[in-house]
């Protein structure tokens, strides 16, 4: 299945449910404070494939729930959490490109990004409270807490070239995969699915999220990234320590490691473009980029295995198709 | 009653309950991510009078609750929300002094302040979920949402000298008083008090919070501020439009208004110190600083009236005493 058809299969499974999500998002983004819908709308309505909300909707369907009212509200909640995280990420990373548009931060400034992010977090909690299930509230609440911890951990490992694979995995599990996991889990919870199914969907989301972030970290050093409308080498310039770099520290020569230390730890770039090109060359020598994608495939296989206890149906097929979709972004 | 004895009376009413709050704060601030307890601890443990948590504890006691376990957890939740707001405020205001210490932002940078603030918000929601009452969750959730809206509104009115009294009141109701109100309200809710008492405590907190912020905005132009270990004129330098300024725009000459417009709107200061001195002189001419304190007293009287339906007891007396405490900071 190619990339676009995987996404289309997922969209056709959830049908009109996605419109309910979009309506909930627009309604709840509103505020008499004009800057809020302006800035939040820039991110939320302008784009994104709504991947996380789609997971919630499809998970609920796979668990047999026909009425999409609850999962749609929870899907909107998940998208708000995700968008709030992006807004706060823009502040902290000073990234100038987000989804190919100028970042909200560049357009409106740090102040607005922090505060509108806070507003979206608060509204996401209102969605949870409206849902009213303490189980659901617990899952989503826990996810936001783990995300925040992951973001701080990422900040601490930035520029630290002694970062281990374990620490890196902890960061991506927390900052990215925890929300994928919760998005899927609350779909099952909204459907009143048995606990084994909740857990299976949590595992699916967690492994999918890890695969997704591994591919993201691969893409940052890949020519493919430019085709997707994003700059190459952001992580390198920010001194983020991701798997393609960590693997070089396990395999490279002293001279190669000293070079990376200068760029990533000391942030001393003589010629940033040339330094980036040399870093990519070293990664190619040890195939650390290829290995990052291989690991993404491993986690993809675990995500697939997590769904094995569900009977075959279009929603399950679509959720399996989306694993390939996430990994095939690499090509 | 003088200032210190008002605070002491409140402390003696809640007795050991405050220790429960501190224990909950320290336990929940913890994280394997070392920067989190470091940075959060800098703000939470280093200082603050725990005014908001004390309100929750005293409100629960006034409503007849002896067991402090629930109100202590909710009081810790309120303090987390407050601290998260301060951390994000430090980012947006670039304020270098907070409680007389260097701000967390100045010490650790914007990134860390945003992310640790997010962590504290997330943990505050965990406290709510642990409490388990949807009523309580709704009150505190709503407060965080209103605070975020108020912060964005404040950002929009910054440097806008056409800001009206109504807009200003909306800002301080949202960004400050809403949390005072919720802190008191959840104390009543934890005690299972009748709805009329919940509402009375909400009103008390709302009016107390408004009075508190009015005094804060007065103090920013007052020599008294320097004695409290804070710099004078922060609001002026940031172009924040507070009541002492708004009243000059209602009463001043064209020349005085043009002067303030240059400083606050265009941010063109020839000699910031001299400009601040002139602004204070103009405020003195129309007694707008005195009037700001007078209004604070009016809201203080409303806060007192809100408690009139409660029978006299030490908790009620302490809550009334704290009104004067908040206002007497002006002297």
């Amino acid at each position: 299945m190619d990339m676009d058809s995987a996404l289309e299969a997922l969209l056709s499974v959830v049908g009109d449910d996605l419109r309910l999500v979009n309506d909930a998002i627009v309604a709840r983004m509103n505020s008499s404070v004009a800057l809020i819908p302006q800035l939040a709308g820039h991110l939320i309505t302008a784009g994104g494939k709504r991947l996380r909300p789609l997971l919630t909707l499809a998970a609920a369907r796979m668990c047999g729930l026909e009425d999409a009212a609850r999962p749609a509200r929870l899907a909107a909640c998940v998208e708000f959490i995700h968008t709030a995280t992006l807004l706060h990420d823009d502040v902290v990373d000073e990234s100038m490109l987000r989804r190919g548009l100028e970042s909200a931060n560049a357009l409106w400034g740090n102040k607005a990004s922090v505060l509108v992010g806070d507003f979206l977090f608060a509204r996401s909690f209102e969605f949870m409270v409206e849902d009213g299930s303490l189980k659901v509230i617990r899952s989503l609440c826990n996810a936001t807490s783990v995300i925040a911890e992951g973001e701080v951990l990422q900040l601490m490992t930035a520029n630290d070239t002694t970062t281990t694979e374990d620490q890196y995995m902890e960061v991506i599990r927390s900052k990215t995969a925890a929300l994928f996991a919760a998005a899927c889990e609350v779909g099952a919870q909204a459907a009143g699915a048995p606990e084994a199914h909740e857990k299976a969907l949590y595992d699916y989301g967690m492994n999918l999220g890890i695969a997704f972030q591994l591919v993201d970290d691969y893409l940052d050093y890949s020519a493919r990234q430019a085709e997707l409308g994003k700059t190459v080498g952001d992580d390198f310039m920010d001194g983020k320590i991701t798997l393609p770099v960590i693997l070089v520290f396990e395999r490279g020569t002293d001279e190669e490691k000293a070079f990376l230390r200068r760029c990533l730890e000391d942030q001393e770039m003589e010629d940033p473009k040339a330094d980036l090109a040399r870093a990519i060359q070293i990664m190619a020598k040890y195939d650390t980029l290829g290995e990052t994608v291989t690991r993404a495939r491993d986690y993809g296989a675990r995500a697939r295995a997590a769904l094995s206890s569900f009977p075959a149906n279009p929603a399950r097929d679509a959720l399996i198709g989306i694993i390939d979709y996430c990994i095939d972004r690499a090509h």
Side-chain angles (χ1 to χ4, degrees), chain A residues 37-58:
Chain A
Q38 259 173 40
L39 199 159
H42 176 75
L43 262 186
I44 294 189
T45 60
K49 290 168 291 294
R50 301 258 195 276
L51 183 53
R52 295 158 192 78
L54 283 169
L55 292 175
T56 304
L57 296 173

Side-chain angles (χ1 to χ4, degrees), chain A residues 19-98:
Chain A
R19 194 154 24 183
L20 293 179
V21 178
N22 288 334
D23 290 349
I25 285 174
V26 170
R28 198 54 61 93
M29 204 168 57
N30 218 351
S31 164
S32 58
V33 181
L35 183 61
I36 292 175
Q38 259 173 40
L39 199 159
H42 176 75
L43 262 186
I44 294 189
T45 60
K49 290 168 291 294
R50 301 258 195 276
L51 183 53
R52 295 158 192 78
L54 283 169
L55 292 175
T56 304
L57 296 173
R61 282 218 170 242
M62 186 175 67
C63 292
L65 184 67
E66 293 295 319
D67 181 356
R70 267 188 84 188
R73 190 163 46 211
L74 296 175
C77 171
V78 166
E79 188 72 353
F80 270 29
I81 295 172
H82 174 57
T83 309
T85 310
L86 290 186
L87 277 166
H88 286 185
D89 245 13
D90 277 345
V91 171
V92 300
D93 287 345
E94 289 156 21
S95 52
M96 299 299 283
L97 272 177
R98 170 76 65 192

Side-chain angles (χ1 to χ4, degrees), chain A residues 161-309:
Chain A
T161 57
T162 68
T163 303
T164 63
E165 282 189 42
D166 282 352
Q167 287 173 313
Y168 166 78
M169 289 306 298
E170 180 65 25
V171 167
I172 71 174
R173 237 181 236 114
S174 308
K175 75 160 190 170
T176 305
L179 189 57
F180 277 75
C184 297
E185 186 185 29
V186 297
Q189 288 168 341
E195 222 160 272
H197 284 183
E198 278 182 35
K199 191 179 172 315
L201 273 162
Y202 177 92
D203 288 343
Y204 162 81
M206 177 59 74
N207 287 297
L208 177 66
I210 294 172
F212 182 90
Q213 187 61 51
L214 282 166
V215 171
D216 250 23
D217 291 347
Y218 155 80
L219 279 169
D220 199 72
Y221 288 104
S222 150
R224 177 90 185 98
Q225 178 95 323
E227 299 166 30
L228 298 172
K230 297 179 184 175
T231 52
V232 176
D234 277 352
D235 291 348
F236 187 73
M237 300 305 168
D238 291 344
K240 263 190 205 161
I241 310 301
T242 58
L243 190 60
V245 167
I246 293 172
L247 292 175
V248 169
F249 274 91
E250 291 174 11
R251 299 167 188 181
T253 64
D254 284 348
E255 195 231 329
E256 287 159 348
K257 288 190 267 188
F259 161 73
L260 283 180
R261 233 176 264 122
R262 168 171 69 72
C263 297
L264 298 167
E265 198 152 307
D266 309 333
Q267 302 259 75
E268 280 170 19
M269 313 255 195
E270 285 153 11
D271 175 349
K273 269 196 169 171
D275 285 340
L276 175 62
R278 186 175 167 206
I280 291 173
Q281 213 170 29
I282 297 172
M283 290 174 194
K285 178 177 166 193
Y286 300 102
D287 195 27
T288 68
L289 291 168
E291 170 137 358
T292 301
V293 176
T294 302
R295 297 217 192 169
R297 279 189 207 291
D298 290 346
Y299 284 98
R302 291 187 210 183
R304 188 185 313 258
L307 295 187
S308 61
S309 60

Side-chain angles (χ1 to χ4, degrees), chain A residues 85-143:
Chain A
T85 310
L86 290 186
L87 277 166
H88 286 185
D89 245 13
D90 277 345
V91 171
V92 300
D93 287 345
E94 289 156 21
S95 52
M96 299 299 283
L97 272 177
R98 170 76 65 192
R99 287 175 182 164
L101 299 168
E102 275 190 272
S103 78
N105 179 24
L107 286 174
W108 283 278
N110 263 351
K111 290 192 183 202
S113 289
V114 174
L115 299 177
V116 175
D118 287 350
F119 175 81
L120 291 178
F121 270 130
R123 284 285 163 102
S124 78
F125 284 102
E126 288 185 3
F127 276 126
M128 297 177 211
V129 174
E130 257 171 50
D131 180 80
S133 151
L134 277 171
K135 204 185 213 181
V136 163
I137 298 180
R138 219 168 272 136
S139 295
L140 288 166
C141 236
N142 179 56

